[in-house]
mmCIF file of all heavy atoms in Angstrom:
data_model
loop_
_atom_site.group_PDB
_atom_site.id
_atom_site.type_symbol
_atom_site.label_atom_id
_atom_site.label_comp_id
_atom_site.label_asym_id
_atom_site.label_seq_id
_atom_site.Cartn_x
_atom_site.Cartn_y
_atom_site.Cartn_z
ATOM 1 N N MET A 3 64.118 98.936 102.255
ATOM 2 C CA MET A 3 65.090 97.860 102.454
ATOM 3 C C MET A 3 66.248 98.043 101.481
ATOM 4 O O MET A 3 66.183 98.851 100.558
ATOM 5 C CB MET A 3 64.449 96.483 102.277
ATOM 6 C CG MET A 3 63.929 96.189 100.901
ATOM 7 S SD MET A 3 63.062 94.586 100.790
ATOM 8 C CE MET A 3 61.632 94.873 101.836
ATOM 9 N N ALA A 4 67.304 97.280 101.690
ATOM 10 C CA ALA A 4 68.444 97.317 100.786
ATOM 11 C C ALA A 4 68.043 96.798 99.411
ATOM 12 O O ALA A 4 67.298 95.812 99.312
ATOM 13 C CB ALA A 4 69.591 96.472 101.347
ATOM 14 N N PRO A 5 68.495 97.436 98.336
ATOM 15 C CA PRO A 5 68.115 97.000 96.989
ATOM 16 C C PRO A 5 68.447 95.549 96.697
ATOM 17 O O PRO A 5 67.698 94.871 95.989
ATOM 18 C CB PRO A 5 68.908 97.949 96.079
ATOM 19 C CG PRO A 5 69.157 99.158 96.906
ATOM 20 C CD PRO A 5 69.315 98.663 98.314
ATOM 21 N N THR A 6 69.565 95.062 97.217
ATOM 22 C CA THR A 6 69.945 93.671 96.953
ATOM 23 C C THR A 6 68.871 92.706 97.438
ATOM 24 O O THR A 6 68.561 91.715 96.757
ATOM 25 C CB THR A 6 71.279 93.349 97.645
ATOM 26 O OG1 THR A 6 71.242 93.870 98.986
ATOM 27 C CG2 THR A 6 72.441 93.989 96.910
ATOM 28 N N TRP A 7 68.291 92.986 98.609
ATOM 29 C CA TRP A 7 67.262 92.105 99.144
ATOM 30 C C TRP A 7 65.904 92.388 98.541
ATOM 31 O O TRP A 7 65.062 91.492 98.434
ATOM 32 C CB TRP A 7 67.215 92.190 100.665
ATOM 33 C CG TRP A 7 68.409 91.565 101.296
ATOM 34 C CD1 TRP A 7 69.361 92.170 102.059
ATOM 35 C CD2 TRP A 7 68.829 90.200 101.185
ATOM 36 N NE1 TRP A 7 70.325 91.276 102.433
ATOM 37 C CE2 TRP A 7 70.020 90.058 101.916
ATOM 38 C CE3 TRP A 7 68.303 89.080 100.536
ATOM 39 C CZ2 TRP A 7 70.698 88.840 102.022
ATOM 40 C CZ3 TRP A 7 68.968 87.872 100.630
ATOM 41 C CH2 TRP A 7 70.147 87.760 101.361
ATOM 42 N N ALA A 8 65.664 93.633 98.114
ATOM 43 C CA ALA A 8 64.400 93.942 97.447
ATOM 44 C C ALA A 8 64.269 93.136 96.161
ATOM 45 O O ALA A 8 63.187 92.621 95.838
ATOM 46 C CB ALA A 8 64.314 95.435 97.145
ATOM 47 N N LEU A 9 65.353 93.015 95.413
ATOM 48 C CA LEU A 9 65.316 92.236 94.173
ATOM 49 C C LEU A 9 64.925 90.786 94.450
ATOM 50 O O LEU A 9 64.140 90.181 93.713
ATOM 51 C CB LEU A 9 66.672 92.293 93.476
ATOM 52 C CG LEU A 9 67.091 93.643 92.903
ATOM 53 C CD1 LEU A 9 68.517 93.570 92.367
ATOM 54 C CD2 LEU A 9 66.144 94.094 91.804
ATOM 55 N N VAL A 10 65.472 90.227 95.518
ATOM 56 C CA VAL A 10 65.154 88.849 95.882
ATOM 57 C C VAL A 10 63.689 88.736 96.312
ATOM 58 O O VAL A 10 62.941 87.871 95.839
ATOM 59 C CB VAL A 10 66.078 88.366 97.020
ATOM 60 C CG1 VAL A 10 65.641 86.991 97.523
ATOM 61 C CG2 VAL A 10 67.522 88.325 96.546
ATOM 62 N N LEU A 11 63.264 89.617 97.212
ATOM 63 C CA LEU A 11 61.899 89.562 97.724
ATOM 64 C C LEU A 11 60.877 89.783 96.619
ATOM 65 O O LEU A 11 59.870 89.074 96.526
ATOM 66 C CB LEU A 11 61.716 90.588 98.838
ATOM 67 C CG LEU A 11 60.383 90.522 99.590
ATOM 68 C CD1 LEU A 11 60.602 90.801 101.076
ATOM 69 C CD2 LEU A 11 59.363 91.516 99.045
ATOM 70 N N PHE A 12 61.122 90.764 95.745
ATOM 71 C CA PHE A 12 60.184 91.045 94.656
ATOM 72 C C PHE A 12 60.074 89.858 93.702
ATOM 73 O O PHE A 12 58.989 89.524 93.224
ATOM 74 C CB PHE A 12 60.619 92.282 93.885
ATOM 75 C CG PHE A 12 60.464 93.581 94.656
ATOM 76 C CD1 PHE A 12 61.100 94.731 94.237
ATOM 77 C CD2 PHE A 12 59.674 93.644 95.797
ATOM 78 C CE1 PHE A 12 60.966 95.922 94.932
ATOM 79 C CE2 PHE A 12 59.531 94.831 96.505
ATOM 80 C CZ PHE A 12 60.181 95.968 96.066
ATOM 81 N N GLY A 13 61.210 89.215 93.428
ATOM 82 C CA GLY A 13 61.173 88.038 92.561
ATOM 83 C C GLY A 13 60.334 86.924 93.158
ATOM 84 O O GLY A 13 59.527 86.280 92.464
ATOM 85 N N LEU A 14 60.501 86.677 94.460
ATOM 86 C CA LEU A 14 59.713 85.644 95.141
ATOM 87 C C LEU A 14 58.241 86.029 95.207
ATOM 88 O O LEU A 14 57.354 85.166 95.094
ATOM 89 C CB LEU A 14 60.258 85.424 96.555
ATOM 90 C CG LEU A 14 61.638 84.762 96.653
ATOM 91 C CD1 LEU A 14 62.130 84.779 98.097
ATOM 92 C CD2 LEU A 14 61.593 83.331 96.127
ATOM 93 N N LEU A 15 57.963 87.310 95.389
ATOM 94 C CA LEU A 15 56.580 87.788 95.448
ATOM 95 C C LEU A 15 55.850 87.504 94.136
ATOM 96 O O LEU A 15 54.731 86.976 94.127
ATOM 97 C CB LEU A 15 56.572 89.296 95.736
ATOM 98 C CG LEU A 15 55.200 89.962 95.817
ATOM 99 C CD1 LEU A 15 54.536 89.655 97.151
ATOM 100 C CD2 LEU A 15 55.329 91.474 95.620
ATOM 101 N N ILE A 16 56.491 87.840 93.031
ATOM 102 C CA ILE A 16 55.881 87.614 91.713
ATOM 103 C C ILE A 16 55.679 86.112 91.469
ATOM 104 O O ILE A 16 54.619 85.673 91.007
ATOM 105 C CB ILE A 16 56.757 88.243 90.619
ATOM 106 C CG1 ILE A 16 56.753 89.776 90.750
ATOM 107 C CG2 ILE A 16 56.282 87.835 89.224
ATOM 108 C CD1 ILE A 16 57.804 90.471 89.904
ATOM 109 N N GLU A 17 56.694 85.342 91.811
ATOM 110 C CA GLU A 17 56.613 83.886 91.612
ATOM 111 C C GLU A 17 55.484 83.278 92.434
ATOM 112 O O GLU A 17 54.704 82.447 91.936
ATOM 113 C CB GLU A 17 57.958 83.277 92.004
ATOM 114 C CG GLU A 17 58.051 81.772 91.865
ATOM 115 C CD GLU A 17 59.399 81.242 92.322
ATOM 116 O OE1 GLU A 17 60.438 81.811 91.901
ATOM 117 O OE2 GLU A 17 59.408 80.282 93.114
ATOM 118 N N ARG A 18 55.362 83.690 93.689
ATOM 119 C CA ARG A 18 54.341 83.148 94.579
ATOM 120 C C ARG A 18 52.941 83.570 94.140
ATOM 121 O O ARG A 18 51.991 82.766 94.167
ATOM 122 C CB ARG A 18 54.616 83.614 96.009
ATOM 123 C CG ARG A 18 53.649 83.084 97.058
ATOM 124 C CD ARG A 18 53.756 81.590 97.202
ATOM 125 N NE ARG A 18 52.995 81.110 98.356
ATOM 126 C CZ ARG A 18 52.536 79.886 98.473
ATOM 127 N NH1 ARG A 18 52.730 78.996 97.506
ATOM 128 N NH2 ARG A 18 51.863 79.523 99.548
ATOM 129 N N TYR A 19 52.790 84.810 93.741
ATOM 130 C CA TYR A 19 51.493 85.312 93.293
ATOM 131 C C TYR A 19 51.002 84.515 92.081
ATOM 132 O O TYR A 19 49.833 84.107 92.011
ATOM 133 C CB TYR A 19 51.609 86.792 92.942
ATOM 134 C CG TYR A 19 50.294 87.447 92.572
ATOM 135 C CD1 TYR A 19 49.491 88.028 93.547
ATOM 136 C CD2 TYR A 19 49.856 87.498 91.251
ATOM 137 C CE1 TYR A 19 48.282 88.632 93.220
ATOM 138 C CE2 TYR A 19 48.648 88.090 90.910
ATOM 139 C CZ TYR A 19 47.874 88.662 91.894
ATOM 140 O OH TYR A 19 46.682 89.253 91.558
ATOM 141 N N ASN A 20 51.897 84.282 91.137
ATOM 142 C CA ASN A 20 51.519 83.518 89.945
ATOM 143 C C ASN A 20 51.199 82.072 90.282
ATOM 144 O O ASN A 20 50.283 81.467 89.713
ATOM 145 C CB ASN A 20 52.639 83.590 88.908
ATOM 146 C CG ASN A 20 52.735 84.945 88.246
ATOM 147 O OD1 ASN A 20 51.742 85.666 88.128
ATOM 148 N ND2 ASN A 20 53.929 85.321 87.802
ATOM 149 N N GLU A 21 51.939 81.518 91.230
ATOM 150 C CA GLU A 21 51.709 80.126 91.633
ATOM 151 C C GLU A 21 50.319 79.965 92.257
ATOM 152 O O GLU A 21 49.594 79.009 91.958
ATOM 153 C CB GLU A 21 52.790 79.715 92.638
ATOM 154 C CG GLU A 21 52.634 78.314 93.205
ATOM 155 C CD GLU A 21 53.628 78.030 94.314
ATOM 156 O OE1 GLU A 21 54.702 78.662 94.322
ATOM 157 O OE2 GLU A 21 53.311 77.190 95.186
ATOM 158 N N ILE A 22 49.926 80.896 93.104
ATOM 159 C CA ILE A 22 48.638 80.800 93.802
ATOM 160 C C ILE A 22 47.471 81.111 92.877
ATOM 161 O O ILE A 22 46.431 80.444 92.913
ATOM 162 C CB ILE A 22 48.624 81.759 95.013
ATOM 163 C CG1 ILE A 22 49.589 81.256 96.091
ATOM 164 C CG2 ILE A 22 47.216 81.896 95.586
ATOM 165 C CD1 ILE A 22 49.727 82.198 97.271
ATOM 166 N N ASN A 23 47.644 82.116 92.014
ATOM 167 C CA ASN A 23 46.524 82.607 91.213
ATOM 168 C C ASN A 23 46.497 82.071 89.783
ATOM 169 O O ASN A 23 45.568 82.374 89.036
ATOM 170 C CB ASN A 23 46.553 84.139 91.177
ATOM 171 C CG ASN A 23 46.343 84.745 92.548
ATOM 172 O OD1 ASN A 23 45.236 84.716 93.083
ATOM 173 N ND2 ASN A 23 47.403 85.283 93.124
ATOM 174 N N GLY A 24 47.503 81.304 89.415
ATOM 175 C CA GLY A 24 47.542 80.777 88.057
ATOM 176 C C GLY A 24 47.670 81.867 87.012
ATOM 177 O O GLY A 24 47.160 81.738 85.895
ATOM 178 N N THR A 25 48.357 82.951 87.375
ATOM 179 C CA THR A 25 48.515 84.099 86.473
ATOM 180 C C THR A 25 49.944 84.167 85.956
ATOM 181 O O THR A 25 50.781 83.315 86.263
ATOM 182 C CB THR A 25 48.166 85.401 87.210
ATOM 183 O OG1 THR A 25 48.946 85.469 88.422
ATOM 184 C CG2 THR A 25 46.694 85.450 87.567
ATOM 185 N N SER A 26 50.235 85.190 85.202
ATOM 186 C CA SER A 26 51.592 85.386 84.673
ATOM 187 C C SER A 26 51.995 86.849 84.796
ATOM 188 O O SER A 26 52.489 87.448 83.846
ATOM 189 C CB SER A 26 51.669 84.924 83.210
ATOM 190 O OG SER A 26 50.706 85.601 82.425
ATOM 191 N N VAL A 27 51.727 87.448 85.978
ATOM 192 C CA VAL A 27 52.140 88.835 86.181
ATOM 193 C C VAL A 27 53.661 88.906 86.154
ATOM 194 O O VAL A 27 54.353 87.965 86.537
ATOM 195 C CB VAL A 27 51.588 89.417 87.497
ATOM 196 C CG1 VAL A 27 50.071 89.275 87.568
ATOM 197 C CG2 VAL A 27 52.244 88.776 88.710
ATOM 198 N N ARG A 28 54.171 90.051 85.735
ATOM 199 C CA ARG A 28 55.620 90.188 85.577
ATOM 200 C C ARG A 28 56.199 91.290 86.449
ATOM 201 O O ARG A 28 57.419 91.434 86.536
ATOM 202 C CB ARG A 28 55.947 90.477 84.115
ATOM 203 C CG ARG A 28 55.477 89.380 83.168
ATOM 204 C CD ARG A 28 55.836 89.704 81.730
ATOM 205 N NE ARG A 28 57.267 89.805 81.538
ATOM 206 C CZ ARG A 28 57.839 90.175 80.386
ATOM 207 N NH1 ARG A 28 57.089 90.497 79.351
ATOM 208 N NH2 ARG A 28 59.154 90.242 80.290
ATOM 209 N N THR A 29 55.332 92.088 87.085
ATOM 210 C CA THR A 29 55.837 93.205 87.883
ATOM 211 C C THR A 29 55.177 93.245 89.258
ATOM 212 O O THR A 29 54.060 92.748 89.452
ATOM 213 C CB THR A 29 55.572 94.550 87.180
ATOM 214 O OG1 THR A 29 54.155 94.783 87.121
ATOM 215 C CG2 THR A 29 56.166 94.568 85.784
ATOM 216 N N VAL A 30 55.873 93.878 90.179
ATOM 217 C CA VAL A 30 55.343 94.073 91.533
ATOM 218 C C VAL A 30 54.118 94.979 91.499
ATOM 219 O O VAL A 30 53.179 94.810 92.274
ATOM 220 C CB VAL A 30 56.439 94.679 92.434
ATOM 221 C CG1 VAL A 30 55.875 95.077 93.793
ATOM 222 C CG2 VAL A 30 57.597 93.703 92.600
ATOM 223 N N GLY A 31 54.118 95.942 90.577
ATOM 224 C CA GLY A 31 53.011 96.878 90.483
ATOM 225 C C GLY A 31 51.676 96.221 90.164
ATOM 226 O O GLY A 31 50.617 96.772 90.488
ATOM 227 N N GLU A 32 51.717 95.065 89.552
ATOM 228 C CA GLU A 32 50.474 94.343 89.276
ATOM 229 C C GLU A 32 49.921 93.693 90.543
ATOM 230 O O GLU A 32 48.736 93.345 90.588
ATOM 231 C CB GLU A 32 50.731 93.284 88.209
ATOM 232 C CG GLU A 32 51.108 93.867 86.844
ATOM 233 C CD GLU A 32 51.526 92.789 85.855
ATOM 234 O OE1 GLU A 32 50.635 92.137 85.281
ATOM 235 O OE2 GLU A 32 52.752 92.590 85.673
ATOM 236 N N ILE A 33 50.763 93.514 91.544
ATOM 237 C CA ILE A 33 50.347 92.914 92.813
ATOM 238 C C ILE A 33 50.043 94.007 93.834
ATOM 239 O O ILE A 33 49.059 93.923 94.568
ATOM 240 C CB ILE A 33 51.460 91.973 93.330
ATOM 241 C CG1 ILE A 33 51.780 90.910 92.276
ATOM 242 C CG2 ILE A 33 51.041 91.326 94.660
ATOM 243 C CD1 ILE A 33 53.028 90.107 92.593
ATOM 244 N N TRP A 34 50.902 95.015 93.874
ATOM 245 C CA TRP A 34 50.714 96.160 94.767
ATOM 246 C C TRP A 34 50.533 97.423 93.920
ATOM 247 O O TRP A 34 51.456 98.231 93.775
ATOM 248 C CB TRP A 34 51.923 96.327 95.687
ATOM 249 C CG TRP A 34 52.183 95.186 96.625
ATOM 250 C CD1 TRP A 34 51.290 94.290 97.125
ATOM 251 C CD2 TRP A 34 53.458 94.835 97.204
ATOM 252 N NE1 TRP A 34 51.899 93.404 97.965
ATOM 253 C CE2 TRP A 34 53.236 93.706 98.043
ATOM 254 C CE3 TRP A 34 54.744 95.346 97.101
ATOM 255 C CZ2 TRP A 34 54.261 93.104 98.753
ATOM 256 C CZ3 TRP A 34 55.770 94.758 97.809
ATOM 257 C CH2 TRP A 34 55.529 93.647 98.626
ATOM 258 N N PRO A 35 49.375 97.636 93.348
ATOM 259 C CA PRO A 35 49.197 98.752 92.408
ATOM 260 C C PRO A 35 49.304 100.128 93.050
ATOM 261 O O PRO A 35 49.526 101.123 92.351
ATOM 262 C CB PRO A 35 47.784 98.526 91.859
ATOM 263 C CG PRO A 35 47.091 97.690 92.895
ATOM 264 C CD PRO A 35 48.146 96.819 93.481
ATOM 265 N N ASN A 36 49.169 100.210 94.384
ATOM 266 C CA ASN A 36 49.257 101.507 95.066
ATOM 267 C C ASN A 36 50.643 101.785 95.634
ATOM 268 O O ASN A 36 50.836 102.778 96.347
ATOM 269 C CB ASN A 36 48.230 101.576 96.196
ATOM 270 C CG ASN A 36 46.806 101.561 95.676
ATOM 271 O OD1 ASN A 36 46.492 102.220 94.692
ATOM 272 N ND2 ASN A 36 45.943 100.799 96.337
ATOM 273 N N LEU A 37 51.601 100.926 95.321
ATOM 274 C CA LEU A 37 52.969 101.158 95.782
ATOM 275 C C LEU A 37 53.467 102.499 95.243
ATOM 276 O O LEU A 37 53.415 102.753 94.037
ATOM 277 C CB LEU A 37 53.879 100.018 95.322
ATOM 278 C CG LEU A 37 55.330 100.050 95.815
ATOM 279 C CD1 LEU A 37 55.398 99.979 97.336
ATOM 280 C CD2 LEU A 37 56.125 98.899 95.192
ATOM 281 N N GLN A 38 53.958 103.343 96.129
ATOM 282 C CA GLN A 38 54.312 104.714 95.758
ATOM 283 C C GLN A 38 55.768 105.057 96.029
ATOM 284 O O GLN A 38 56.391 105.800 95.283
ATOM 285 C CB GLN A 38 53.429 105.696 96.539
ATOM 286 C CG GLN A 38 53.717 107.175 96.327
ATOM 287 C CD GLN A 38 53.261 107.683 94.984
ATOM 288 O OE1 GLN A 38 52.127 107.455 94.600
ATOM 289 N NE2 GLN A 38 54.150 108.355 94.250
ATOM 290 N N LEU A 39 56.334 104.499 97.120
ATOM 291 C CA LEU A 39 57.643 104.959 97.586
ATOM 292 C C LEU A 39 58.542 103.782 97.915
ATOM 293 O O LEU A 39 58.133 102.849 98.597
ATOM 294 C CB LEU A 39 57.459 105.836 98.837
ATOM 295 C CG LEU A 39 58.726 106.307 99.560
ATOM 296 C CD1 LEU A 39 59.576 107.197 98.646
ATOM 297 C CD2 LEU A 39 58.358 107.039 100.848
ATOM 298 N N TYR A 40 59.775 103.858 97.427
ATOM 299 C CA TYR A 40 60.816 102.891 97.793
ATOM 300 C C TYR A 40 61.946 103.668 98.463
ATOM 301 O O TYR A 40 62.507 104.601 97.870
ATOM 302 C CB TYR A 40 61.344 102.144 96.564
ATOM 303 C CG TYR A 40 62.458 101.186 96.914
ATOM 304 C CD1 TYR A 40 62.175 99.897 97.327
ATOM 305 C CD2 TYR A 40 63.791 101.587 96.869
ATOM 306 C CE1 TYR A 40 63.190 99.021 97.682
ATOM 307 C CE2 TYR A 40 64.814 100.726 97.226
ATOM 308 C CZ TYR A 40 64.511 99.442 97.633
ATOM 309 O OH TYR A 40 65.518 98.586 98.002
ATOM 310 N N ILE A 41 62.273 103.291 99.697
ATOM 311 C CA ILE A 41 63.366 103.915 100.433
ATOM 312 C C ILE A 41 64.525 102.938 100.489
ATOM 313 O O ILE A 41 64.376 101.809 100.963
ATOM 314 C CB ILE A 41 62.932 104.318 101.857
ATOM 315 C CG1 ILE A 41 61.775 105.307 101.791
ATOM 316 C CG2 ILE A 41 64.105 104.934 102.618
ATOM 317 C CD1 ILE A 41 61.199 105.670 103.160
ATOM 318 N N SER A 42 65.666 103.377 99.997
ATOM 319 C CA SER A 42 66.831 102.511 99.863
ATOM 320 C C SER A 42 67.867 102.827 100.932
ATOM 321 O O SER A 42 68.071 103.978 101.307
ATOM 322 C CB SER A 42 67.456 102.700 98.482
ATOM 323 O OG SER A 42 68.679 101.993 98.381
ATOM 324 N N GLY A 43 68.532 101.798 101.415
ATOM 325 C CA GLY A 43 69.637 101.960 102.354
ATOM 326 C C GLY A 43 70.529 100.743 102.300
ATOM 327 O O GLY A 43 70.144 99.706 101.766
ATOM 328 N N GLY A 44 71.719 100.860 102.851
ATOM 329 C CA GLY A 44 72.612 99.707 102.922
ATOM 330 C C GLY A 44 73.625 99.659 101.802
ATOM 331 O O GLY A 44 74.810 99.450 102.036
ATOM 332 N N VAL A 45 73.186 99.802 100.573
ATOM 333 C CA VAL A 45 74.072 99.866 99.408
ATOM 334 C C VAL A 45 73.576 100.984 98.498
ATOM 335 O O VAL A 45 72.437 101.431 98.616
ATOM 336 C CB VAL A 45 74.122 98.527 98.636
ATOM 337 C CG1 VAL A 45 74.698 97.416 99.487
ATOM 338 C CG2 VAL A 45 72.745 98.131 98.131
ATOM 339 N N ALA A 46 74.447 101.429 97.600
ATOM 340 C CA ALA A 46 74.100 102.558 96.743
ATOM 341 C C ALA A 46 72.905 102.221 95.852
ATOM 342 O O ALA A 46 72.886 101.197 95.167
ATOM 343 C CB ALA A 46 75.298 102.947 95.882
ATOM 344 N N LEU A 47 71.926 103.102 95.842
ATOM 345 C CA LEU A 47 70.729 102.898 95.036
ATOM 346 C C LEU A 47 71.026 102.994 93.542
ATOM 347 O O LEU A 47 70.395 102.303 92.741
ATOM 348 C CB LEU A 47 69.673 103.942 95.420
ATOM 349 C CG LEU A 47 68.397 103.991 94.576
ATOM 350 C CD1 LEU A 47 67.620 102.679 94.669
ATOM 351 C CD2 LEU A 47 67.510 105.157 95.019
ATOM 352 N N SER A 48 71.982 103.833 93.167
ATOM 353 C CA SER A 48 72.206 104.117 91.746
ATOM 354 C C SER A 48 72.478 102.861 90.929
ATOM 355 O O SER A 48 72.077 102.769 89.766
ATOM 356 C CB SER A 48 73.382 105.094 91.580
ATOM 357 O OG SER A 48 74.577 104.549 92.126
ATOM 358 N N SER A 49 73.146 101.884 91.541
ATOM 359 C CA SER A 49 73.482 100.662 90.806
ATOM 360 C C SER A 49 72.284 99.752 90.586
ATOM 361 O O SER A 49 72.351 98.828 89.781
ATOM 362 C CB SER A 49 74.572 99.884 91.562
ATOM 363 O OG SER A 49 75.743 100.661 91.702
#
């Protein structure tokens, strides 16, 4: 997905996970530990 929307989705994912589980995870990797590949499109990835 586009990086601009990934930032939004990842932020909501972390917030929701902590809300449901009463935890304080700070990264997507703690929720999806097998995440391996991010494919970017729409806007420049470098930024």
Side-chain angles (χ1 to χ4, degrees):
M3 64 184 66
T6 45
W7 290 117
L9 292 174
V10 173
L11 187 142
F12 290 164
L14 291 172
L15 179 77
I16 293 168
E17 180 182 312
R18 182 65 171 156
Y19 185 89
N20 287 332
E21 177 187 334
I22 291 175
N23 296 288
T25 53
S26 56
V27 305
R28 300 181 62 185
T29 66
V30 172
E32 295 173 80
I33 303 169
W34 297 334
N36 294 318
L37 185 61
Q38 177 73 50
L39 174 62
Y40 178 87
I41 300 175
S42 173
V45 297
L47 173 62
S48 60
S49 300

